[in-house]
Amino acid sequence: MKPSTRRTIIIVAVIVLVLLAIILAVSLSGPDHVIYSEFISALAGGRIDEVYFNGSYRIDFSLVGEDGLKYYTYYRSANMDQIMEAIDAAGKLENPVNVAYDFNDPSSSSMLSSLLVPIIMIVLLAIVFFIIMRKTNGANNKALNFGKTKASQVRDSKVRFSDVAGAEEEKQELQEIVEFLKDPKKFTAIGARIPKGVLLVGPPGTGKTLFAKAVAGEANVPFFSISGSDFVEMFVGVGASRVRDLFDQAKHSMPCIIFIDEIDAVGRQRGAGLGGGNDEREQTLNQLLVQMDGFESNDSIIVMAATNRADILDPALMRPGRFDRQIYVNIPDVKGREEIFKVHSRNKPLAPAVNFKSLARLTSGFTGADIENLLNEAAILAARANRKLITMEDISEAINKVIAGPAKKSRVVTERDKRITAYHESGHAIIAKLSKNCDTVHEVSIIPRGQAAGYTITLPENDDNHFTKQKLLDQIAMMLGGRAAEELVIKDVSAGASNDIQRASKIARKMVTEWGMSDAIGNMYLGASEEVFLGRDYQTQLNYSDEMAAKIDAEIKSIIDTQYRKALSILREHRDIMDRMVKLLYEKETIYEEEIDELFRGDTPDMGGTPNPVPEGGTSGTDESKTSGGASPSEAGVESGDPNTAPEEDSSGASAGKTEDGADDGGKD
């Protein structure tokens, strides 16, 4: 039970007890009621000492020998004569009756006395109801405040531009916003107009929200922060009302900044969706458009927003005068990653041997959020081992853990599965090593991680994202190297290459349909968006004929078959190296770049014996290898047609050349 709920229950219980005590006290302190006939009998018998007429057809009286008025009865106006005669008769007895009258307000006293207790009860119940409603609603959930904005005003933000690394150009763009807020005359004197809106676009984890916090900290002006989903409500008109209330609050705090995180929740293209879209959301968007660049001027209010789906935003939101400055926050390069490592390691004790340059190269494609999570995992590993410093080994293990999952050394692996995995991974590594355009082989392992029974990691020498045709072909050959090794050695194939085939097919299809790398098809764009945006793309049809579709399929098959034959040829020629690599993997389970280089130089020490041959046809249905050569922590996608963007399967970093071979997928991809 929450402390607030417990306090509410205690308060209500105390109030109820007090109420009961008051009622009980009132009932016990008052006189006893007797019927009229008993009063007349007592009066005639001379047993009444005092009679009091209070004006409300009520008689209070006391008996002889008793102090105070302890009894009462009611009478009718017709009985008045009878009462007075009885009083006169009693006066002739030994104990005369003392009579008192109060006829000033015959009704008010009666009404007040009769309503006193109900009034007290109503007041106390009203207090209880008020307390309960206040606890239920809370300060931010009041029943009548649906139309009020949920924006929180950030004060004294501790984040500065120095806390954001790896995006120097983006900092410069936002620094102009800060300078304008501090000294607007610098810009207005030369006739410049500061952008009314700044849209931060980029993959998840690249630091868009962190940039907004840094602007708030640097500008030192009121900063209103709200999520796009906070405008959406079940009641009609609430979203538009909250937009108006947000800007009304901002007008009273000018100059200021309004930050809308995940603006795609409310800024989607109007008319998109089955049935014409969502009227409520569109009303909210319309109100936002009007507030940003409507009839009324809000020159001193700068609107910042963040999204990773700029492609679905309404065009009216993107025009000059609204979000007239768009800043793309990209995945950091090797220099940026080095700076990010320095930022996130400020409060972490690192061993002297930790090299940020090496780590930056090992984490190609990692975002700022990925690196922060990576260092946190390394710190957990160091704490688990009772070390006071984070070592390079901790960080390397954390990289593998983030990419492929934790090592499962306790998993029971059969001799056959282990042998298949070793040859499969050796096939990947040898093709990558001997192909001119493949990345450098960094690590090969047969230790299970996550759903993978083994993995091969290749790392690029630099962050060059210009993927040429030959490089893509070599990558396809490398992906198919595991399947080729299985066919060459065990004379059969396992389900472990399913993800390899899937990734290779995707690259081949993009080469043919999007990148113009097929001689038979030529420089034609024949691709379609894999992500259907209902309402806009729901009825989109293929922009090519059935005959062209057949040509595309033939070209894709030709590319894959050619590279598979190439992989088989390379592995046949270097079968001795593959066998020695398998022996080394059996001894060490994980080998690195230096040991692989020694293998190809022929300097590998004799490990003794020859690996037991894999039984022909001896693959089981659970030997599927799940490859994820393009899998990365950020899962950065490919923008179709962008010549500077890596293909989807290889654009995400340390794992851009990483293949994982799972043994527990049961033949399902």
Side-chain angles (χ1 to χ4, degrees):
M1 185 180 295
K2 296 182 179 179
S4 59
T5 305
R6 189 182 297 109
R7 288 194 299 269
T8 302
I9 294 175
I10 294 174
I11 293 173
V12 172
V14 171
I15 293 175
V16 172
L17 292 176
V18 171
L19 179 61
L20 294 176
I22 293 174
I23 296 174
L24 183 61
V26 172
S27 62
L28 294 177
S29 63
D32 294 332
H33 176 264
V34 298
I35 61 177
Y36 176 75
S37 60
E38 292 180 359
F39 165 73
I40 295 296
S41 299
L43 188 62
R47 292 183 285 116
I48 293 181
D49 181 53
E50 185 179 18
V51 175
Y52 175 74
F53 294 88
N54 63 13
S56 59
Y57 300 102
R58 169 173 163 167
I59 301 175
D60 295 330
F61 62 95
S62 61
L63 300 177
V64 176
E66 299 181 7
D67 297 331
L69 302 176
K70 298 182 179 181
Y71 306 94
Y72 71 94
T73 187
Y74 292 99
Y75 66 95
R76 300 177 181 177
S77 59
N79 301 128
M80 192 64 181
D81 293 337
Q82 181 185 6
I83 296 172
M84 296 309 295
E85 291 177 0
I87 291 174
D88 292 339
K92 299 177 180 179
L93 302 176
E94 294 181 359
N95 296 316
V97 180
N98 296 320
V99 182
Y101 300 92
D102 184 12
F103 294 134
N104 294 328
D105 190 4
S107 61
S108 61
S109 60
S110 171
M111 184 177 298
L112 180 62
S113 61
S114 61
L115 295 180
L116 180 60
V117 174
I119 290 174
I120 295 175
M121 293 180 63
I122 292 174
V123 171
L124 292 178
L125 290 175
I127 295 173
V128 172
F129 180 77
F130 174 77
I131 294 174
I132 294 175
M133 291 298 298
R134 186 175 181 182
K135 293 291 184 180
T136 303
N137 292 328
N140 298 321
N141 190 27
K142 296 181 179 179
L144 301 178
N145 287 343
F146 292 114
K148 300 296 182 181
T149 180
K150 294 184 178 181
S152 58
Q153 187 170 354
V154 180
R155 300 181 181 272
D156 301 327
S157 175
K158 305 300 182 182
V159 184
R160 298 292 187 269
F161 280 141
S162 58
D163 299 318
V164 185
E168 298 301 323
E169 292 77 11
E170 292 83 350
K171 283 185 188 179
Q172 185 63 39
E173 294 286 322
L174 294 173
Q175 185 65 41
E176 295 179 358
I177 306 296
V178 175
E179 292 179 359
F180 173 81
L181 293 171
K182 291 183 176 181
D183 185 19
K185 295 182 180 180
K186 175 183 177 181
F187 296 88
T188 57
I190 200 172
R193 176 184 63 82
I194 201 67
K196 291 186 177 181
V198 179
L199 182 64
L200 301 174
V201 185
T206 51
K208 300 184 293 296
T209 304
L210 187 64
F211 264 123
K213 294 180 180 179
V215 171
E218 293 284 349
N220 196 24
V221 298
F223 186 88
F224 298 89
S225 177
I226 190 172
S227 174
S229 59
D230 288 336
F231 293 109
V232 182
E233 192 61 74
M234 63 180 290
F235 301 102
V236 176
V238 172
S241 177
R242 287 177 177 175
V243 172
R244 289 191 296 270
D245 185 66
L246 173 61
F247 278 85
D248 287 340
Q249 292 188 23
K251 289 177 183 178
H252 292 89
S253 303
M254 295 189 300
C256 64
I257 298 174
I258 294 175
F259 176 65
I260 305 175
D261 200 7
E262 304 296 341
I263 195 175
D264 52 276
V266 70
R268 286 176 175 259
Q269 180 176 335
R270 288 169 291 183
L274 297 177
N278 188 311
D279 290 339
E280 173 61 18
R281 180 179 55 77
E282 292 184 2
Q283 290 180 18
T284 306
L285 175 58
N286 291 336
Q287 187 63 49
L288 180 61
L289 297 175
V290 172
Q291 292 293 339
M292 290 188 66
D293 189 28
F295 191 78
E296 298 182 5
S297 178
N298 299 321
D299 293 334
S300 296
I301 300 176
I302 296 177
V303 182
M304 296 182 62
T307 181
N308 55 8
R309 295 296 309 276
D311 57 310
I312 67 174
L313 295 181
D314 193 275
L317 200 61
M318 310 291 287
R319 75 162 177 83
R322 288 176 178 140
F323 286 112
D324 35 16
R325 176 171 292 187
Q326 300 177 29
I327 301 176
Y328 189 81
V329 186
N330 207 344
I331 296 175
D333 56 12
V334 62
K335 183 179 179 181
R337 293 193 298 274
E338 183 179 351
E339 296 299 322
I340 294 174
F341 268 109
K342 294 179 181 179
V343 170
H344 290 300
S345 61
R346 291 174 180 173
N347 61 341
K348 292 180 173 61
L350 300 180
V354 174
N355 190 320
F356 290 136
K357 289 186 177 180
S358 299
L359 292 176
R361 179 177 174 268
L362 289 173
T363 54
S364 177
F366 276 51
T367 64
D370 295 328
I371 293 175
E372 190 276 335
N373 180 54
L374 169 66
L375 290 176
N376 184 66
E377 291 289 344
I380 293 175
L381 291 173
R384 186 184 301 171
N386 296 319
R387 289 192 292 270
K388 301 297 183 182
L389 297 176
I390 301 174
T391 64
M392 198 71 175
E393 289 74 18
D394 294 328
I395 301 177
S396 298
E397 174 62 22
I399 292 175
N400 291 336
K401 184 178 179 181
V402 170
I403 295 175
K408 296 186 177 181
K409 297 183 180 180
S410 61
R411 177 187 293 181
V412 178
V413 182
T414 64
E415 188 72 16
R416 180 176 56 187
D417 289 345
K418 185 177 180 180
R419 192 72 60 180
I420 293 174
T421 301
Y423 275 108
H424 188 107
E425 300 304 330
S426 298
H428 287 309
I430 292 173
I431 299 299
K433 182 69 176 177
L434 297 176
S435 297
K436 179 180 179 182
N437 298 284
C438 284
D439 298 327
T440 303
V441 181
H442 173 70
E443 181 180 349
V444 182
S445 178
I446 58 174
I447 298 176
R449 285 184 178 273
Q451 297 182 355
Y455 58 90
T456 300
I457 298 178
T458 62
L459 296 175
E461 295 292 338
N462 49 56
D463 290 324
D464 185 13
N465 290 324
H466 290 77
F467 277 67
T468 63
K469 179 180 179 180
Q470 192 57 53
K471 184 171 185 176
L472 294 172
L473 293 175
D474 287 349
Q475 287 185 350
I476 293 175
M478 185 270 291
M479 294 174 188
L480 299 176
R483 165 60 62 88
E486 293 178 9
E487 180 179 341
L488 185 64
V489 177
I490 68 176
K491 309 303 181 182
D492 199 357
V493 293
S494 71
S498 61
N499 192 255
D500 290 326
I501 297 172
Q502 180 183 3
R503 290 168 48 232
S505 300
K506 284 184 177 181
I507 293 179
R509 181 170 293 278
K510 288 180 178 291
M511 291 176 63
V512 175
T513 62
E514 299 183 24
W515 299 330
M517 296 181 179
S518 170
D519 295 335
I521 303 300
N523 298 324
M524 295 178 61
Y525 179 80
L526 303 173
S529 177
E530 297 182 358
E531 217 170 313
V532 176
F533 185 27
L534 293 180
R536 189 181 69 187
D537 300 328
Y538 184 73
Q539 296 182 342
T540 298
Q541 298 180 353
L542 296 176
N543 54 2
Y544 48 84
S545 63
D546 294 339
E547 291 78 9
M548 181 61 72
K551 288 184 179 180
I552 293 174
D553 293 340
E555 280 296 298
I556 296 173
K557 187 177 186 303
S558 175
I559 292 175
I560 294 176
D561 291 346
T562 301
Q563 299 309 309
Y564 185 70
R565 290 193 296 270
K566 175 183 175 182
L568 281 173
S569 176
I570 294 175
L571 294 179
R572 287 195 186 97
E573 184 178 352
H574 299 87
R575 173 65 185 272
D576 58 331
I577 298 178
M578 184 168 59
D579 290 336
R580 284 188 284 138
M581 184 176 292
V582 170
K583 289 192 297 181
L584 193 60
L585 285 171
Y586 250 69
E587 292 292 330
K588 296 187 174 183
E589 292 188 331
T590 301
I591 59 177
Y592 298 94
E593 182 178 351
E594 296 79 8
E595 296 166 303
I596 296 174
D597 291 339
E598 291 180 358
L599 277 174
F600 280 85
R601 289 195 303 265
D603 299 335
T604 305
D606 186 12
M607 307 302 296
T610 305
N612 297 328
V614 179
E616 291 189 12
T619 63
S620 67
T622 61
D623 290 330
E624 178 180 0
S625 304
K626 184 178 180 181
T627 65
S628 58
S632 94
S634 60
E635 297 181 359
V638 180
E639 296 294 331
S640 300
D642 187 354
N644 298 321
T645 308
E648 180 179 6
E649 294 73 26
D650 299 278
S651 64
S652 50
S655 54
K658 174 179 173 297
T659 63
E660 304 170 359
D661 302 287
D664 296 321
D665 293 335
K668 299 179 181 179
D669 186 28

